[in-house]
Amino acid sequence: EAAAGDEELPDYSSAGADTCLKCHGDDESAHLLALFDGPHGVIADERTPMGASQCESCHGPGGEHAARVGFRQQRPPMPAFGPNALWSKQRENEVCLGCHQDPARRFWDGGTHQSQDVSCVDCHSIHTRRDPVTVQSSQPEVCLGCHTRQRAEIHRAYTHPLRFGEMACSDCHQSHGSPNEFMLESMTINQNCYQCHAEKRGPYLWEHAPVTEDCTLCHRTHGSNHPALLTRRAPLLCQQCHSRSGHPSVGRTGEALPDGSPSVFLLSGSCLNCHSQVHGSNHPSGAMLNR
Amino acid sequence: SQEPQQEQASEKLASEEQASQEQANQELASEELVGGIQGSTETEENAQPAKPDTSTWLCELCPYNYGLSGNILIGAQYVSDDFFEFGNFRGLEDEGVFADADVDLQYRTEQADYIRIYGENLGIDSRTLTAKGGRQGVYGVWLEYDEIPYYRADDTQTVFTGAGTANQVLPPDWVRADNSDEFSALQSSLRDVNIRQQRQSAGLGFAFYLPEHWHYRADFKRTTKQGDRIQGAAFIFRASELAAPVDYETTQINIAIGYGRDRWELEAGYNLSIFDNRDQALRFENPFTGIFGASLGEMAREPDNEFHQFTLSGSWRQSRWLSLAGQVAFGFIDQDQQFLAATVNPNLINPDLPRTNLDGEVNTRAMRLRLTSNPFNRLTARAQFTYDKRDNDSPRDSYVQVITDTFVTDARINEPFSHERYNVDTSLDYRLFSFLKLSGSFKHQETKRVLQEVRNTDTQLYSFRIQATPFHRLSLSVDLNRENRDNDLDPALLGPQENPSLRRFHFAEKDRDSLRATLDYAILDNLYAGLYMEIADEDYQDTQIGLSDARDESYGLDLSATFGEHISAHAFYARESLKAVIRGADNITGAAWQAQTDDDFNTLGFGIDFIELPGKWVRAVLDFSYATADGDIRIDKQRSNSPAFPQLETERFTLEASLERELYNNLNLRFAYLVARLTEDDFFRDDVNPATVPTLLSLGEGTPDKTVHVISATLRYTFQ
């Protein structure tokens, strides 16, 4: 946890990274040295740790940690980002945010991840050539480590291609804080969907009211047991909102199966066999969404 | 080659440091401590010692890796069977041998110039490739290319010539009939057609980071989606399933310019999205005996549209005491696609259209404003206001309806729907003790709509959360939420033929209660367990027709373990149940029915990753996942003894294993094996052949039931 306000701040080491690497440069620490292959290990970029106070840019002053310790005396931990680190998660985050002030983090303060004490390094790997959370195919594994319900959902029969590495969580969600619903990248749910499904944007001559408002009224975005990621099957999907006299209101039963009296109102696409323009129609005669 | 240098430098430094460390530490301590305290702001969170003099920090032991590094992987993979659904999103749908290639290369210079090339699945239809370059911290440019295959069915059949195109005609010898089982030329006319789409996107972008606090970025992306999809095409109560064409192109451009100082930043942006559909109409012949000579039909395709949006965003962080962030956006969507004729049936009078295109315009407005404050360490307060408006300004006109190119009926006036939504959200987080944090929030949402039976809904959401860490190995959280929604329903606006008891669920009066609890426990230093439970209950108390109840339950267990630096393992299990009750009535005067839907999911998986193995074996990975889902639909009708629906079932497992061995210094050999099985039972599709339903000529899509094996052998060459 963060030390008190009158804490005695430790000293920096005498030789920076060279001090650290005397102990942390061996084979056992090879995984740490991958930092020098990544964007944080660029000495010519003065914004990076290696272009500034080197290891201590992030880990805090390491003078005490690097100093000699007496027999049976425990080596003091580094202030930040390490085993038994002294600083709080919030303070560690301040270290990252001190440099990473780009607009993507504008809504970090007060955001869901911030308020639930998520730290930058819960998701980001710094000592690596390529941070897995920045790669489309490996990002879901990082996010789903915490979002375990969503991990189960993407294993359903009908999903977006997250588990195939063809899509990343960040295609829809802004993990660094967003004022939008579900931490979405776009300002509304529908705008988010239109990023990839622009054909649904319209406006159509004949609009389907819920479609214009919220795609998730009918679609379960992380995965579903029903084709097209629908929340349930037609005709019941449609009968949640439509009960006009005539065929729309009839409750379809097992009598309509192939071994009974197979019905166009139930089988194959059900309502969509005829009303196939459910997202809207731009046909002058398309008021019933079948043209 | 770096090791001897590092050893020498290490020895030199060790001796120098022994002599000078104490003195240097004392000097630095005196300077930095003073500087740090003087330089600190009002809280200890910002307390930092002054920056050290790094001019003597030579970083001689630092293993900078300039030049080319990374690896390329190339080889072959064998797929044991044709399995279309397995190929979905993977691009491995056919039996045979395919290239297996990945690339991960980087070239860097001491001046921070870089080029990075990264690609996966380069030999198959799910390939992705990105190239980035620039000078780190100054500018960057990037190119990207990505393909996503979507494979739905390869057991589908159609009688239409031109399947997958915008003009679908019947075979010359086709004999129309009233019902599908009377189609005499059906069997001889059926041809295989695959339902598949391929999405390809190519993009480029750049960003400049200038020292004078300005930054610029712009990106351009063009995405095409081509293939076909299943779409119903109706003539009154007769319909055909078509392999309808998909030939879309979407162009996106995003531009932003920003200015930032230590405590504040502003950014102005512009987003453009242009959708272009290469097909504006889909013509299809009627395989059934058409009423009033309706032998040809035409559907409109998704119209071309353009979306423009301007945004202004910014934030100001006075200190941790107060920060403010906001965003406003103004946008509009244009759609002026030429209308098709009201009918293509020459036997009907083609009514005049009030206009030649919709001249559609939707204006979008959005605003976000968030105020966050930490008045003292224990307390965080947040207030947020959001506003969204979709204002459909498209003209309203009267259009005579020609129903399914079959008969002319009354005119209808189009309804351009608009809505407007406000949210006010306030929350307080209070850390009562170092191990206990309490949070409470209140959210009020108001939505206004036009042309619908509900004009206003008001929603209140109350949330309470406890986060506790009673000891360092255990953390717990419990979330409780209650939501109430009221509306100003006017049943008269439901329409004359609609059941007056209908309440549409997305604006019906509703109570929703939910509970989420999580537990994370470090059983050992290297073994972690997590549990979660989520329950949500929805009650639509005013609904007699429509969705009336819904309940979601979800439970999960996670385990993860690490064994040293080189071995990690994980396992998980999740169970979820989604239940709903939908009420209906066969007619307005009675004959009520009730439907219950119940989807149950079980998902489990485990994996183990050996990053380093004895001898020349470099890495081994094993990953297994299993998912099964059962869907029950039960309809209870008065005076009915109808047979029950069969269960909807899906079952899938995937086992992947790979092993990599060093052959030479820079060359590894990697073997991988994957076995996957997918089965599905779906009574909506199973046993529904093209002529099963008398009034439907279907594509006969079935469900998968197959196992496939994939074996690959690849070489990885590493550049160092």
Side-chain angles (χ1 to χ4, degrees):
Chain A
E1 287 301 304
D6 58 353
E7 68 172 341
E8 284 195 22
L9 295 164
D11 303 328
Y12 280 92
S13 66
S14 57
D18 285 331
T19 309
C20 307
L21 292 172
K22 277 193 299 179
C23 297
H24 298 293
D26 58 7
D27 286 347
E28 274 299 299
S29 307
H31 60 289
L32 300 178
L33 301 183
L35 174 94
F36 294 97
D37 292 333
H40 286 90
V42 178
I43 199 164
D45 181 358
E46 291 178 354
R47 307 169 313 153
T48 70
M50 298 316 293
S53 305
Q54 301 178 357
C55 309
E56 290 155 277
S57 297
C58 300
H59 290 281
E64 278 185 11
H65 176 76
R68 284 203 194 118
V69 292
F71 183 62
R72 289 194 172 176
Q73 190 184 352
Q74 198 154 17
R75 182 171 294 283
M78 288 296 286
F81 304 116
N84 305 315
L86 300 172
W87 293 355
S88 66
K89 279 188 172 184
Q90 186 181 355
R91 190 169 179 185
E92 287 182 342
N93 285 351
E94 293 289 337
V95 172
C96 305
L97 293 168
C99 298
H100 293 277
Q101 294 174 333
D102 52 295
R105 285 145 198 88
R106 179 179 296 132
F107 287 98
W108 172 258
D109 283 344
T112 307
H113 279 158
Q114 191 253 0
S115 64
Q116 297 193 2
D117 299 329
V118 175
S119 64
C120 304
V121 292
D122 288 340
C123 305
H124 290 285
S125 302
I126 313 305
H127 288 261
T128 183
R129 181 167 177 271
R130 188 185 298 276
D131 183 0
V133 82
T134 64
V135 178
Q136 177 175 278
S137 58
S138 52
Q139 186 191 80
E141 193 179 327
V142 178
C143 304
L144 300 172
C146 294
H147 297 276
T148 45
R149 180 174 179 176
Q150 285 72 26
R151 181 173 57 196
E153 288 173 336
I154 68 161
H155 281 282
R156 292 177 182 170
Y158 301 94
T159 69
H160 279 109
L162 284 151
R163 74 167 188 265
F164 303 95
E166 293 294 316
M167 193 174 171
C169 306
S170 60
D171 288 341
C172 296
H173 300 282
Q174 171 49 276
S175 57
H176 295 119
S178 162
N180 308 320
E181 275 188 288
F182 310 114
M183 293 171 70
L184 289 176
E185 274 281 346
S186 301
M187 297 188 86
T188 67
I189 291 170
N190 282 20
Q191 271 189 26
N192 220 76
C193 302
Y194 299 152
Q195 293 288 317
C196 295
H197 304 282
E199 73 276 10
K200 308 288 192 301
R201 189 161 48 208
Y204 291 90
L205 169 61
W206 305 103
E207 293 194 324
H208 191 183
V211 172
T212 64
E213 194 171 322
D214 184 350
C215 303
T216 63
L217 293 172
C218 296
H219 298 280
R220 197 177 288 279
T221 52
H222 290 128
S224 168
N225 198 23
H226 310 296
L229 288 81
L230 290 169
T231 53
R232 51 185 56 86
R233 299 293 177 115
L236 290 172
L237 175 78
C238 309
Q239 288 174 322
Q240 294 177 116
C241 293
H242 298 283
S243 189
R244 285 172 74 96
S245 55
H247 71 272
S249 60
V250 176
R252 305 290 163 184
T253 67
E255 286 172 353
L257 292 170
D259 52 3
S261 303
S263 171
V264 72
F265 299 115
L266 176 76
L267 298 171
S268 287
S270 187
C271 307
L272 279 74
N273 287 328
C274 298
H275 304 280
S276 58
Q277 304 274 48
V278 287
H279 295 109
S281 169
N282 208 50
H283 192 288
S285 296
M288 304 297 288
L289 304 182
N290 52 18
R291 279 292 181 269
Chain B
S1 63
Q2 288 172 341
E3 284 176 11
Q5 289 175 4
Q6 284 184 10
E7 281 171 17
Q8 285 174 7
S10 178
E11 286 168 12
K12 182 182 161 196
L13 280 162
S15 59
E16 285 173 0
E17 276 183 15
Q18 271 184 340
S20 63
Q21 189 173 32
E22 196 173 345
Q23 184 187 349
N25 280 351
Q26 284 171 354
E27 288 169 3
L28 282 169
S30 60
E31 290 168 14
E32 290 164 5
L33 194 57
V34 171
I37 292 169
Q38 286 176 340
S40 70
T41 54
E42 58 272 41
T43 71
E44 79 285 357
E45 294 293 337
N46 294 321
Q48 298 278 357
K51 297 294 178 197
D53 174 12
T54 59
S55 59
T56 58
W57 291 13
L58 304 177
C59 212
E60 290 178 318
L61 297 178
C62 299
Y64 290 108
N65 200 354
Y66 300 119
L68 185 64
S69 66
N71 66 79
I72 56 171
L73 184 138
I74 191 156
Q77 52 192 329
Y78 169 72
V79 182
S80 68
D81 293 275
D82 291 340
F83 191 3
F84 209 63
E85 289 81 357
F86 172 75
N88 185 29
F89 297 138
R90 282 192 177 95
L92 288 171
E93 74 280 15
D94 294 325
E95 180 192 350
V97 178
F98 303 91
D100 190 359
D102 293 349
V103 60
D104 181 3
L105 294 175
Q106 174 172 282
Y107 181 84
R108 297 206 302 186
T109 70
E110 280 188 66
Q111 290 73 40
D113 298 316
Y114 67 92
I115 296 173
R116 295 187 196 112
I117 297 172
Y118 185 83
E120 292 180 23
N121 302 333
L122 297 174
I124 52 178
D125 287 346
S126 56
R127 60 184 61 82
T128 182
L129 182 66
T130 59
K132 296 180 178 177
R135 173 165 288 188
Q136 188 169 313
V138 181
Y139 73 94
V141 295
W142 60 91
L143 293 164
E144 59 187 16
Y145 178 78
D146 189 45
E147 289 186 34
I148 304 177
Y150 170 69
Y151 297 151
R152 174 158 172 175
D154 67 343
D155 59 348
T156 34
Q157 293 185 303
T158 184
V159 300
F160 290 97
T161 304
T165 72
N167 191 22
Q168 309 210 9
V169 296
L170 293 163
D173 58 349
W174 185 259
V175 181
R176 288 189 168 90
D178 284 339
N179 293 313
S180 60
D181 53 4
E182 297 163 4
F183 291 147
S184 57
L186 177 65
Q187 291 308 320
S188 61
S189 303
L190 287 171
R191 301 283 180 271
D192 291 343
V193 59
N194 290 350
I195 307 300
R196 62 192 294 171
Q197 294 158 25
Q198 185 78 7
R199 183 187 288 268
Q200 297 176 308
S201 45
L204 60 94
F206 69 84
F208 287 108
Y209 305 96
L210 301 180
E212 296 84 15
H213 309 289
W214 289 94
H215 69 261
Y216 310 89
R217 62 182 168 82
D219 60 72
F220 167 91
K221 185 176 177 184
R222 175 161 288 168
T223 304
T224 61
K225 190 157 98 170
Q226 292 174 318
D228 55 12
R229 64 186 174 94
I230 297 175
Q231 184 162 23
F235 292 90
I236 305 294
F237 292 135
R238 300 286 186 278
S240 313
E241 281 187 325
L242 304 179
V246 172
D247 196 354
Y248 305 149
E249 182 179 281
T250 305
T251 304
Q252 292 165 296
I253 296 174
N254 301 300
I255 300 169
I257 176 168
Y259 183 81
R261 303 302 297 248
D262 288 345
R263 294 186 186 278
W264 61 273
E265 53 86 22
L266 267 179
E267 186 180 68
Y270 168 68
N271 315 106
L272 168 67
S273 173
I274 301 172
F275 170 71
D276 178 18
N277 192 343
R278 306 267 170 80
D279 296 308
Q280 294 308 323
L282 168 57
R283 282 197 175 196
F284 49 94
E285 290 189 316
N286 185 359
F288 295 91
T289 307
I291 304 167
F292 302 131
S295 59
L296 182 68
E298 188 176 58
M299 268 191 288
R301 311 307 293 152
E302 299 87 346
D304 295 351
N305 64 66
E306 286 186 13
F307 175 54
H308 304 258
Q309 181 168 265
F310 301 89
T311 57
L312 183 64
S313 319
S315 61
W316 175 65
R317 198 165 193 254
Q318 187 268 335
S319 68
R320 58 170 291 191
W321 282 69
L322 184 66
S323 69
L324 188 65
Q327 187 170 41
V328 290
F330 304 86
F332 61 92
I333 309 169
D334 274 341
Q335 191 272 99
D336 56 3
Q337 184 69 52
Q338 192 81 9
F339 281 148
L340 303 175
T343 180
V344 289
N345 187 342
N347 301 318
L348 301 174
I349 296 169
N350 214 325
D352 290 335
L353 301 178
R355 49 179 54 249
T356 56
N357 66 68
L358 176 62
D359 193 18
E361 181 169 322
V362 172
N363 293 302
T364 61
R365 304 282 182 268
M367 186 165 94
R368 307 284 183 266
L369 193 60
R370 181 188 288 171
L371 185 75
T372 309
S373 174
N374 282 110
F376 50 95
N377 259 349
R378 291 173 181 271
L379 183 69
T380 303
R382 189 191 76 162
Q384 180 169 301
F385 172 76
T386 68
Y387 170 72
D388 291 294
K389 185 177 186 181
R390 180 189 191 268
D391 183 11
N392 192 339
D393 281 341
S394 304
R396 297 192 70 190
D397 292 292
S398 182
Y399 295 83
V400 174
Q401 295 295 291
V402 183
I403 301 298
T404 60
D405 291 289
T406 305
F407 64 91
V408 181
T409 185
D410 296 339
R412 290 273 301 268
I413 298 172
N414 62 312
E415 297 181 321
F417 296 108
S418 298
H419 66 267
E420 192 173 13
R421 184 167 290 154
Y422 306 85
N423 279 297
V424 177
D425 186 358
T426 57
S427 67
L428 282 177
D429 296 339
Y430 186 72
R431 191 172 288 283
L432 193 58
F433 305 106
S434 61
F435 60 89
L436 183 66
K437 184 174 169 184
L438 306 176
S439 307
S441 72
F442 169 71
K443 181 177 176 180
H444 174 80
Q445 182 183 88
E446 190 175 332
T447 307
K448 299 175 187 295
R449 300 172 177 87
V450 298
L451 302 172
Q452 299 188 69
E453 69 271 20
V454 169
R455 302 254 168 105
N456 290 295
T457 52
D458 283 306
T459 306
Q460 279 79 38
L461 174 66
Y462 307 88
S463 302
F464 179 68
R465 178 182 172 88
I466 302 174
Q467 282 175 270
T469 312
F471 54 98
H472 76 282
R473 285 185 180 277
L474 177 68
S475 63
L476 301 158
S477 74
V478 178
D479 284 86
L480 289 166
N481 301 286
R482 180 165 182 81
E483 182 183 331
N484 307 110
R485 185 168 67 196
D486 297 317
N487 65 30
D488 66 348
L489 172 78
D490 181 356
L493 297 175
L494 272 165
Q497 294 179 56
E498 200 65 76
N499 193 312
S501 299
L502 174 70
R503 301 291 179 265
R504 293 189 167 103
F505 72 96
H506 59 289
F507 40 52
E509 293 191 347
K510 178 177 86 166
D511 287 339
R512 186 177 196 273
D513 295 299
S514 66
L515 164 71
R516 178 181 165 84
T518 65
L519 178 152
D520 293 295
Y521 182 58
I523 301 167
L524 301 169
D525 284 343
N526 63 338
L527 177 63
Y528 303 88
L531 283 168
Y532 78 89
M533 173 185 77
E534 279 186 54
I535 299 172
D537 246 322
E538 290 184 0
D539 177 20
Y540 298 80
Q541 64 271 35
D542 188 38
T543 300
Q544 288 158 349
I545 300 290
L547 176 67
S548 64
D549 291 283
R551 182 178 173 86
D552 295 359
E553 291 180 23
S554 183
Y555 308 91
L557 166 68
D558 263 68
L559 293 169
S560 64
T562 53
F563 305 97
E565 295 288 349
H566 305 303
I567 302 173
S568 62
H570 73 274
F572 68 92
Y573 169 72
R575 177 173 178 76
E576 189 168 10
S577 163
L578 309 175
K579 293 185 168 70
V581 175
I582 298 152
R583 297 176 197 275
D586 283 353
N587 53 64
I588 290 174
T589 55
W593 51 264
Q594 177 174 296
Q596 295 183 51
T597 64
D598 185 357
D599 289 325
D600 291 319
F601 304 87
N602 285 285
T603 312
L604 64 89
F606 61 82
I608 187 161
D609 190 349
F610 299 86
I611 295 172
E612 206 170 276
L613 291 166
K616 298 236 174 209
W617 296 104
V618 178
R619 189 172 185 187
V621 180
L622 178 75
D623 199 63
F624 174 79
S625 67
Y626 173 79
T628 178
D630 299 329
D632 283 309
I633 301 174
R634 203 177 78 203
I635 307 278
D636 297 321
K637 294 185 84 163
Q638 293 171 348
R639 297 185 298 279
S640 169
N641 193 22
S642 305
F645 289 126
Q647 197 168 54
L648 302 165
E649 291 180 7
T650 62
E651 188 176 20
R652 182 186 66 74
F653 79 78
T654 309
L655 174 71
E656 292 178 82
S658 66
L659 193 58
E660 191 162 333
R661 181 182 170 84
E662 184 183 320
L663 292 181
Y664 303 103
N665 236 358
N666 291 344
L667 189 65
N668 292 356
L669 176 63
R670 179 179 180 270
F671 293 107
Y673 170 69
L674 181 153
V675 56
R677 177 163 179 76
L678 174 61
T679 63
E680 215 172 312
D681 290 326
D682 181 347
F683 66 83
F684 289 91
R685 290 181 284 163
D686 289 334
D687 303 322
V688 181
N689 298 314
T692 299
V693 182
T695 55
L696 175 69
L697 176 59
S698 86
L699 289 169
E701 182 192 13
T703 50
D705 182 0
K706 216 164 189 178
T707 304
V708 67
H709 305 263
V710 182
I711 300 165
S712 78
T714 47
L715 290 169
R716 185 191 303 277
Y717 185 82
T718 303
F719 298 88
Q720 290 177 325

